[in-house]
Amino acid sequence: MLCDVCRDVDFDQLIYEWNPSGFAHHKSLSALAECSDCAFCEGLWETLKDDASVIEIAGRGDASWHGEQMCFRLIPSSDGIGIEHDRSTLIVFTTDGGAKTTLLGMYGVFVNRTKAEWDTNKIDPTRCGHSLGIMGRPVSPFSNSDECFRLAGMWLDECLDQNELKSETSSPFMPTRTIDVGAADGSEDPRLVVHDTDGAVARNGQPQRLPWLTLTHCWGGSSPLMLTLDTLAEWTASGIPMPLLPLTFRDAVSITRRLGYRHLWIDSICIVQDSRQDWEREAARMGDVYRHGVLNISASSGRGCRDGIFGKRDSSTTPALAAVRLPFKSKRLGIGGEWLYLRAGRWDNYLEYITGRQHNTLASRGWVLQESLLSPRTLHFASQQLFWECTHATYAEGRIDALALPDNKMIALQAQHVYSYKMMLPSVVHWPAGMTADAAARDEMHSLWLRVVENYSSRALTVPSDVFPALAGVASDFQTRLGDEYLAGLFRRHLLEGLVWRSIDTARSTFRPQSATCSTPSWSWASLIGGVQCEVVIDSNGILPNMVGTSMARVVEEESRLVIEGHAIEGTLVLARNYHVLAESMGEPPNNETRTCVSVLDTSSPSSGHLLLLHLGIWQWYFRREELSISRLMRKYCGLLLEPVDGTGSVYRRIGVAMLKVAIGKTHDAALKPEDEVGLQTWERRVVTVV
């Protein structure tokens, strides 16, 4: 049931170009509260009445907006893809009639889709003007519904057709063990299958490759069902009774069967868990297990192996399903008697489940990033809907169009708007073997590697010493494509750039424990347990950093310790002043230039106070458009903050990073002037060992 105000919603007034002020709804918050017989108004009021964060989000520390006019407007998707024709989100806000507005609510918008749209997963050209950029579609009440599997099968078939099965079937690789899930009708229990040493079963003298699916899941607080030396023979000969499998594993078996496959790989069942030798051998092969699998099943919303993958999408716990309909009528378009459906909240927030941007349980795990990166395609079973991710597209159950396509790549490089690592990295992870890259392509690939490092460093590892093994498969791919040597999480050719990382949260970061199986030098990002940000990477406009000047450091030797020759300045106050002396030596900055000095410690552990600032180099990002006579420049002077580890004054460990950032936002020359680094020339040129 709707109130008179909601029944009068006019689509023509929701479009910004047609009506910038939006559709005028209730006169005030109190008028909304009094409207108790309207499904939409009642739901909106329930989300607002005790929500103090609404004021905080708006940045308005008073309640003046309570008496302001409420309005509706359609905007692009709530995850900010920014496609101009996309009007898939309705926002509810108040306005004082001037510049002040307060966002009250956000709703995903969908309309009933045609049969052609359901059958093809593409916009029906006969109704493009009718839907006018509304890409949303209904989601099923259950994630194991026929509709969900029909959609998943469509996504899979479309990707396989585009890929022509080349990357998965051209290799004879097979996992050492897989689970044969049995017939599709469930008449057989799953059984562990051990493959021969070549990873294939011989047939007519030719290797036979059996396609398999993989599972990504959280183990949870308790251990899942695990393969041991005692159960290996039994599970191979007699099978694994379905009731013995935890719910997540049973659901994965069901998914494998319903998608038409027989083989499934689950880490705890396909690797002998009480054999260090087997674990080390299989861990080395794990990258290929995911890389050559057909599909990775991601139990994205489960907190443990007993939570299951499927579940009823209850509207009482999942607001996205509490859809309310408003009239869809437009005099401009000649539409009447139809409906717009609204789902409360950011129902299409796929970033959380695909890239871990908001760190749901599964996406916060370190091993999961590698599994997601290396798998050619992933089907995410999230709490509100299905998400599909491959190198060709990212899809959501609740949208008819692609959430992201490969041509979004440059946008995707923004640290806060990563849509899909599979699409960021196809030219790296999925390049044909033997393909070479020019210097610019290598620089771009290295920047992408540092973006992977940023995401990975913020994830958790149950075993801290897994920091390198959990990313080894991805690192191997980058090493092959870059044609470079891998050194403790960094690459030799880009070593200076790779050293310029900083801790995101010094107070919470700690140094990784050192052991015989895990030795992380202080100069590597892996020495830290905590998220890092890399400072010398390609920017959101696709501009690569370029090293300038003559004062750059030189790496003399690289092993577990780095020997670096560079300009250095030392003293107890070096942390406080870092590059201030250098900035002062440049003279007064012109009006269009800003200078910022930054120093960040890796952890809050106390230091000796006697520090060394070792200058590494100057990098700049330069953009110029001749036809508009505009240019933009960002230049960073970057160095390491080092602490001596002995009395020789030549061996140090890293404790932080320092930078001088120079930004110029108007027309100028990109050339580095002598005075821009003359201060550095007064620093002592030293050879320093960093361990």
Side-chain angles (χ1 to χ4, degrees):
M1 185 175 179
L2 297 175
C3 65
D4 292 341
V5 178
C6 289
R7 277 195 295 269
D8 286 340
V9 169
D10 187 342
F11 186 80
D12 297 345
Q13 295 183 42
L14 298 177
I15 309 299
Y16 180 82
E17 296 85 349
W18 299 347
N19 182 31
S21 61
F23 173 79
H25 194 240
H26 282 297
K27 295 290 186 182
S28 65
L29 194 67
S30 59
L32 174 72
E34 294 170 0
C35 189
S36 59
D37 294 331
C38 174
F40 179 82
C41 294
E42 185 177 12
L44 179 59
W45 170 246
E46 286 297 318
T47 63
L48 291 177
K49 62 180 181 180
D50 298 318
D51 190 1
S53 66
V54 172
I55 301 178
E56 296 171 6
I57 292 172
R60 298 173 64 180
D62 57 52
S64 61
W65 57 271
H66 288 186
E68 294 174 355
Q69 174 69 55
M70 297 178 60
C71 298
F72 295 167
R73 183 184 297 153
L74 287 170
I75 63 170
S77 164
S78 62
D79 271 325
I81 297 176
I83 301 172
E84 290 183 2
H85 67 268
D86 174 16
R87 294 186 174 96
S88 299
T89 299
L90 181 87
I91 58 170
V92 181
F93 62 96
T94 66
T95 176
D96 65 351
K100 290 185 178 180
T101 61
T102 303
L103 178 65
L104 302 185
M106 187 175 289
Y107 292 80
V109 182
F110 69 94
V111 295
N112 290 317
R113 314 310 312 195
T114 68
K115 183 178 185 302
E117 289 172 329
W118 280 110
D119 291 344
T120 64
N121 196 42
K122 292 180 174 58
I123 295 290
D124 184 346
T126 65
R127 57 93 48 88
C128 279
H130 173 82
S131 60
L132 203 67
I134 298 174
M135 306 300 177
R137 64 181 165 197
V139 295
S140 176
F142 296 89
S143 58
N144 62 342
S145 66
D146 290 340
E147 292 82 4
C148 284
F149 275 98
R150 184 169 62 248
L151 195 58
M154 186 189 309
W155 290 333
L156 178 57
D157 290 343
E158 179 181 306
C159 182
L160 291 175
D161 288 344
Q162 292 188 52
N163 205 54
E164 297 178 352
L165 295 175
K166 288 179 181 178
S167 63
E168 294 92 89
T169 60
S170 58
S171 169
F173 176 86
M174 277 289 291
T176 303
R177 309 174 188 94
T178 59
I179 304 164
D180 183 341
V181 300
D185 61 7
S187 58
E188 304 168 275
D189 276 335
R191 181 174 64 88
L192 193 65
V193 179
V194 181
H195 302 282
D196 68 14
T197 54
D198 293 327
V201 179
R203 174 178 290 181
N204 300 326
Q206 298 296 321
Q208 177 192 6
R209 187 181 185 280
L210 304 173
W212 70 93
L213 276 60
T214 57
L215 173 67
T216 291
H217 68 102
C218 278
W219 282 32
S222 57
S223 298
L225 184 67
M226 295 189 294
L227 176 66
T228 65
L229 293 171
D230 291 336
T231 57
L232 177 58
E234 177 188 351
W235 289 359
T236 303
S238 305
I240 312 171
M242 278 289 278
L244 193 63
L245 295 172
L247 183 57
T248 296
F249 294 3
R250 294 202 301 271
D251 288 348
V253 167
S254 176
I255 294 168
T256 305
R257 289 170 175 171
R258 294 189 67 172
L259 291 177
Y261 292 87
R262 284 196 65 128
H263 289 266
L264 173 65
W265 190 91
I266 301 176
D267 52 4
S268 67
I269 292 182
C270 295
I271 300 176
V272 181
Q273 299 296 312
D274 58 352
S275 168
R276 183 70 187 180
Q277 180 182 7
D278 192 77
W279 190 92
E280 289 179 350
R281 182 180 67 249
E282 294 306 306
R285 293 166 54 86
M286 198 177 299
D288 282 330
V289 171
Y290 286 95
R291 183 183 293 110
H292 297 295
V294 173
L295 174 68
N296 182 39
I297 303 165
S298 177
S300 300
S301 60
R303 296 181 176 274
C305 64
R306 291 169 176 79
D307 287 355
I309 299 175
F310 305 132
K312 183 179 185 299
R313 296 160 173 176
D314 187 353
S315 61
S316 64
T317 57
T318 308
L321 292 169
V324 175
R325 65 181 189 177
L326 295 178
F328 187 3
K329 54 187 179 182
S330 167
K331 291 182 179 179
R332 285 175 176 262
L333 302 174
I335 299 172
E338 298 189 40
W339 301 96
L340 292 173
Y341 296 86
L342 308 180
R343 290 179 282 219
R346 297 183 62 157
W347 63 272
D348 56 349
N349 192 15
Y350 62 95
L351 292 175
E352 176 181 359
Y353 293 99
I354 292 178
T355 69
R357 173 179 164 188
Q358 295 188 4
H359 297 294
N360 70 77
T361 302
L362 185 61
S364 68
R365 309 305 301 173
W367 281 94
V368 170
L369 179 60
Q370 174 167 269
E371 296 164 9
S372 177
L373 274 169
L374 295 181
S375 301
R377 50 196 70 87
T378 300
L379 179 61
H380 299 264
F381 283 82
S383 60
Q384 299 180 4
Q385 57 180 312
L386 299 181
F387 295 103
W388 172 270
E389 183 192 10
C390 69
T391 59
H392 306 296
T394 301
Y395 290 112
E397 180 187 346
R399 283 180 69 103
I400 192 68
D401 65 333
L403 289 168
L405 295 167
D407 59 5
N408 293 128
K409 185 175 183 181
M410 282 304 126
I411 301 175
L413 289 171
Q414 299 181 63
Q416 299 302 318
H417 294 92
V418 176
Y419 299 132
S420 168
Y421 277 102
K422 282 185 172 61
M423 276 184 286
M424 281 178 65
L425 309 177
S427 61
V428 179
V429 178
H430 299 287
W431 261 16
M435 182 177 289
T436 58
D438 59 21
R442 283 196 299 266
D443 289 345
E444 180 182 325
M445 278 187 274
H446 183 256
S447 280
L448 292 173
W449 166 254
L450 295 180
R451 290 299 192 202
V452 172
V453 164
E454 288 176 334
N455 188 293
Y456 177 70
S457 66
S458 295
R459 297 177 179 232
L461 290 167
T462 303
V463 181
S465 60
D466 283 348
V467 61
F468 291 134
L471 202 59
V474 176
S476 177
D477 272 352
F478 272 93
Q479 185 175 2
T480 299
R481 308 315 181 210
L482 287 168
D484 203 354
E485 184 178 353
Y486 184 63
L487 301 167
L490 303 176
F491 287 96
R492 180 190 294 270
R493 190 180 291 116
H494 296 86
L495 199 51
L496 291 179
E497 293 93 331
L499 292 172
V500 188
W501 53 268
R502 67 177 178 86
S503 172
I504 293 176
D505 190 343
T506 295
R508 295 187 179 183
S509 296
T510 59
F511 291 118
R512 193 174 304 277
Q514 304 295 295
S515 66
T517 59
C518 180
S519 178
T520 54
S522 69
W523 45 264
S524 169
W525 54 265
S527 65
L528 213 62
I529 297 179
V532 304
Q533 179 175 314
C534 300
E535 292 290 340
V536 186
V537 293
I538 191 170
D539 73 4
S540 59
N541 295 304
I543 302 173
L544 287 164
N546 179 43
M547 181 175 274
V548 296
T550 61
S551 58
M552 73 281 292
R554 182 174 68 93
V555 179
V556 179
E557 181 183 340
E558 323 93 343
E559 291 299 336
S560 60
R561 55 179 58 200
L562 286 181
V563 181
I564 307 176
E565 178 188 345
H567 293 286
I569 184 171
E570 63 180 325
T572 56
L573 299 178
V574 71
L575 175 61
R577 62 183 182 174
N578 52 63
Y579 281 108
H580 281 292
V581 175
L582 175 61
E584 291 168 0
S585 72
M586 297 178 186
E588 288 296 320
N591 291 335
N592 63 337
E593 178 179 312
T594 60
R595 300 170 185 171
T596 307
C597 289
V598 178
S599 59
V600 182
L601 292 178
D602 296 338
T603 73
S604 57
S605 300
S607 66
S608 64
H610 190 86
L611 306 179
L612 182 78
L613 171 57
L614 177 64
H615 176 72
L616 296 179
I618 307 171
W619 287 270
Q620 72 177 20
W621 294 254
Y622 181 65
F623 170 79
R624 183 174 182 83
R625 292 190 64 178
E626 297 286 353
E627 69 276 16
L628 299 178
S629 298
I630 61 171
S631 57
R632 184 171 61 251
L633 180 144
M634 166 62 79
R635 188 176 290 151
K636 292 182 182 179
Y637 298 69
C638 304
L640 298 182
L641 293 170
L642 305 174
E643 181 181 59
V645 298
D646 59 20
T648 66
S650 61
V651 181
Y652 292 82
R653 61 171 166 260
R654 175 196 156 121
I655 64 166
V657 67
M659 288 173 288
L660 167 61
K661 300 181 181 181
V662 177
I664 306 176
K666 294 183 180 180
T667 303
H668 57 83
D669 186 355
L672 194 70
K673 301 179 180 64
E675 60 266 27
D676 291 332
E677 58 179 342
V678 66
L680 288 169
Q681 310 299 338
T682 65
W683 296 10
E684 181 185 3
R685 187 81 178 179
R686 295 177 56 175
V687 176
V688 176
T689 298
V690 187
V691 295

